[in-house]
Amino acid sequence: THLLISRNFLASVILEAGATGPYGRLMTGQITLSQLVTELDEDCKKAAAAAEIFLPEKFSVAQIFGDFLDEGRLNTPLLDAAVTLRKNGFKTCVLTNNWIDDSLWKGTVALILPLLRRHFDLVIESCRIGLQKPDPKIYEYALRMLEAEPHEVIFLDDIGTNLKPAREMGIATILFRDLEMALKELQDLSGVQLLGEEEGFPTACDPASVSHGYVPVKPGVQLHFVEMGHGPVVCLCHGFPESWFSWRYQIPALADAGFRVIALDMKGYGDSSAPPDIKEYSQEEICKVRNEIVAGIFQTVFIGHDWGGSVVWNMSLFYPERVKAVASLNTPYKSADPNVDIMEAIKAHPAFDYQLFFQKPGVAEAELEEDLARTFKIMIRSIKKQVDGLPPLPLSAGGVLVGLPKDPPPSLILPEPDLQYYIQQYKKSGFRGPLNWYRNMQTNWSWRCSARGRKVRAAGVALGIPQLTRGHIEECGHWTQMERPAALNKILIKWLEDIHSKALLQRISRL
């Protein structure tokens, strides 16, 4: 009750001061938030004395603003609609009355702006340009920045007075009161389906705008990684033949959910070092490297796909003190059996014949490096029928691309810009490093046998594991992160939130 009274009183003081008062000058960037608090505290005391209103001795607008900042939340369905519009060719913009926040009590609002900048083409803040809604000049400024005419723009706001001048300029407007009604109006005006649409693709991170780094792991060898977000650490480990970029749909979503995401280029891939020695790629050596990477972090969640899945299971077996939890995509956990030689087991399963083809250095490299575009378009593809229905990969001891078209159709899950990024990455070191992972089968088997009897002390997605959690996605092939990214993100975020205390997560939204 006291807070409500204080807010009502504060609102009356702000309105009385008008556009030239502290709040008006805050919104146009003339003063900062901490300066506003000082000025408003004085104005409130004067107004209270004049109206004979009792204010507590320690009254300050700082508490009210701090509570307000913590209440800030994104409207996730509207954000999803904006992402969909952007994917359909619309330029998107956030036009907000905002302030320069130099306070000590930064809340959720301070975390939301970096997220918005990842998902919108433009974020225009009143405090940065000296204009605020509903001044018509701010809409003229937005039109110039968007390089658009009024009749080409749709403007949605939850305050009617902000819409009036925009509407008078010829801009189509939507007053937000009800979510479904607003989305229906937006759908009708844009011509883009926003209600009841099929599962879409989340926002992917752009290699040019994400933070890149390197960590030395031993003399002459370093690993490249990308990083995004703040909070508990999640380390993403890709498989073959991939790159950190395989996690492009997961990195922003996990960062937005309140995690610090580190996606690695595994040894031999992309911008990481690619030493030629086969022994450098044994699981024992790879896991030693992972242990060095997280040496300064108490415990890390590891998520792996394909070969990356093997790495995260082995991290949980051999370095459990470093592991908070592990999740593996498409790579179920299986303990090593010292009574069954691993190479004999591979030979007994025709589906693994391609691993025999990979054993002799230089042979598979020649096939896969001959035409990188062809290699990736054939290997990284959806289980959904392609344009001309490519047959399944041969995956035989005679080659993995044998009998397949020289000019295959585009991959449904690897559009041209993404394909070109993969090609660029593999031109750096080729396939020798990635294929060397397969040339340590016997070594890996012997090492894993030394851990027989140990249990995976982490949450996982395989049978016979303590604290087991399982996730299943229908109509999805091997490339889970790219084929069903939204479904995967939902599973991973729920799992991560269950692992970590939600009170520790500065959670902004679930994408």
Side-chain angles (χ1 to χ4, degrees):
T1 303
H2 166 67
L3 181 59
L4 177 61
I5 293 172
S6 298
R7 283 189 175 183
N8 289 339
F9 173 70
L10 176 60
S12 67
V13 173
I14 289 173
L15 289 172
E16 180 69 25
T20 60
Y23 194 77
R25 288 185 289 119
L26 173 75
M27 288 298 173
T28 52
Q30 298 175 60
I31 60 174
T32 66
L33 188 55
S34 63
Q35 291 172 314
L36 169 88
V37 169
T38 301
E39 292 191 29
L40 269 186
D41 280 348
E42 287 300 314
D43 287 353
C44 286
K45 289 173 184 176
K46 290 177 182 177
E52 297 183 348
I53 296 174
F54 170 76
L55 289 180
E57 183 180 347
K58 295 184 178 180
F59 170 84
S60 175
V61 299
Q63 179 185 350
I64 299 172
F65 269 91
D67 292 339
F68 171 74
L69 293 177
D70 284 334
E71 290 175 1
R73 291 293 181 270
L74 279 177
N75 187 314
T76 304
L78 274 183
L79 177 60
D80 290 341
V83 169
T84 300
L85 288 169
R86 194 181 187 194
K87 290 180 182 299
N88 279 272
F90 281 77
K91 188 177 286 187
T92 58
C93 172
V94 174
L95 183 61
T96 175
N97 283 352
N98 200 17
W99 50 76
I100 298 172
D101 189 353
D102 63 342
S103 67
L104 299 177
W105 61 86
K106 292 182 176 68
T108 306
V109 171
L111 300 173
I112 286 176
L113 282 173
L115 182 153
L116 293 177
R117 290 190 178 96
R118 288 202 293 273
H119 296 291
F120 287 80
D121 295 292
L122 286 173
V123 175
I124 299 175
E125 300 176 77
S126 63
C127 60
R128 307 295 176 184
I129 61 173
L131 299 168
Q132 64 174 314
K133 299 180 290 186
D135 184 344
K137 291 180 181 178
I138 196 170
Y139 306 114
E140 293 170 0
Y141 176 87
L143 290 172
R144 290 196 301 272
M145 296 302 295
L146 289 167
E147 298 179 334
E149 296 297 324
H151 68 273
E152 298 175 313
V153 176
I154 304 168
F155 178 42
L156 185 149
D157 203 299
D158 61 349
I159 300 176
T161 54
N162 288 341
L163 296 174
K164 186 174 182 291
R167 190 163 51 248
E168 291 173 347
M169 296 170 64
I171 295 173
T173 61
I174 299 172
L175 177 61
F176 180 87
R177 284 289 181 264
D178 174 79
L179 175 63
E180 188 168 350
M181 287 299 296
L183 288 177
K184 185 178 185 309
E185 285 188 68
L186 189 55
Q187 178 175 278
D188 292 343
L189 287 170
S190 67
V192 175
Q193 185 177 358
L194 302 173
L195 292 168
E197 62 172 336
E198 293 183 4
E199 177 183 278
F201 277 73
T203 298
C205 57
D206 180 356
S209 59
V210 72
S211 176
H212 294 255
Y214 295 85
V215 56
V217 292
K218 65 185 206 179
V221 178
Q222 65 179 6
L223 287 193
H224 166 254
F225 65 91
V226 301
E227 185 174 11
M228 183 182 289
H230 302 277
V233 176
V234 177
C235 184
L236 305 179
C237 304
H238 68 78
F240 174 91
E242 301 180 72
S243 134
W244 73 266
F245 194 55
S246 295
W247 302 102
R248 58 192 175 277
Y249 296 112
Q250 284 69 52
I251 295 168
L254 298 184
D256 291 347
F259 297 92
R260 177 187 171 195
V261 185
I262 298 174
L264 300 169
D265 264 337
M266 307 296 271
K267 187 191 284 186
Y269 289 84
D271 289 309
S272 289
S273 298
D277 192 347
I278 291 174
K279 292 184 291 185
E280 287 278 349
Y281 300 88
S282 71
Q283 286 288 290
E284 184 173 9
E285 282 297 314
I286 295 294
C287 287
K288 282 180 183 177
V289 167
R290 297 297 162 280
N291 188 45
E292 290 297 320
I293 290 171
V294 298
I297 302 170
F298 174 59
Q299 281 192 325
T300 302
V301 173
F302 289 90
I303 301 175
H305 171 252
D306 188 77
W307 267 112
S310 295
V311 171
V312 305
W313 292 128
N314 287 328
M315 283 295 297
S316 68
L317 286 174
F318 291 91
Y319 298 96
E321 72 282 2
R322 295 290 188 196
V323 178
K324 175 75 173 177
V326 297
S328 178
L329 315 180
N330 307 83
T331 318
Y333 175 76
K334 184 176 176 61
S335 60
D337 186 349
N339 298 314
V340 178
D341 181 86
I342 186 62
M343 294 309 294
E344 294 302 317
I346 290 173
K347 291 175 183 176
H349 291 83
F352 294 145
D353 280 354
Y354 71 97
Q355 297 187 18
L356 302 176
F357 173 67
F358 287 169
Q359 293 305 306
K360 187 175 180 180
V363 177
E365 286 92 329
E367 181 189 41
L368 298 174
E369 292 173 7
E370 181 181 1
D371 184 341
L372 291 173
R374 175 176 182 250
T375 295
F376 289 117
K377 282 195 284 186
I378 288 175
M379 296 192 73
I380 301 179
R381 61 185 190 183
S382 169
I383 61 168
K384 294 179 180 178
K385 189 175 181 180
Q386 298 282 310
V387 176
D388 64 353
L390 279 180
L393 284 174
L395 298 178
S396 70
V400 295
L401 307 178
V402 174
L404 294 173
K406 289 295 183 181
D407 185 18
S411 166
L412 297 177
I413 59 174
L414 200 62
E416 187 62 25
D418 297 348
L419 171 64
Q420 291 305 317
Y421 187 78
Y422 274 90
I423 291 172
Q424 170 201 337
Q425 293 297 292
Y426 276 76
K427 281 182 176 178
K428 296 177 179 180
S429 302
F431 271 86
R432 171 146 187 180
L435 289 166
N436 279 345
W437 286 59
Y438 289 92
R439 294 163 184 159
N440 280 279
M441 293 296 194
Q442 199 79 45
T443 302
N444 295 343
W445 175 73
S446 298
W447 185 55
R448 284 287 301 276
C449 285
S450 71
R452 187 167 176 80
R454 298 181 193 175
K455 289 186 177 181
V456 175
R457 297 295 180 184
V461 284
L463 295 175
I465 301 171
Q467 299 174 280
L468 172 68
T469 301
R470 299 193 69 178
H472 181 73
I473 300 175
E474 295 284 350
E475 299 181 7
C476 184
H478 181 69
W479 313 103
T480 316
Q481 313 103 297
M482 294 178 260
E483 189 163 6
R484 296 290 306 279
L488 174 62
N489 292 352
K490 184 177 180 180
I491 291 171
L492 289 179
I493 291 171
K494 172 64 167 62
W495 177 71
L496 288 166
E497 289 181 340
D498 288 344
I499 291 167
H500 293 277
S501 169
K502 291 185 181 180
L504 297 177
L505 298 178
Q506 295 176 315
R507 183 165 58 89
I508 300 173
S509 77
R510 297 182 180 182
L511 299 181

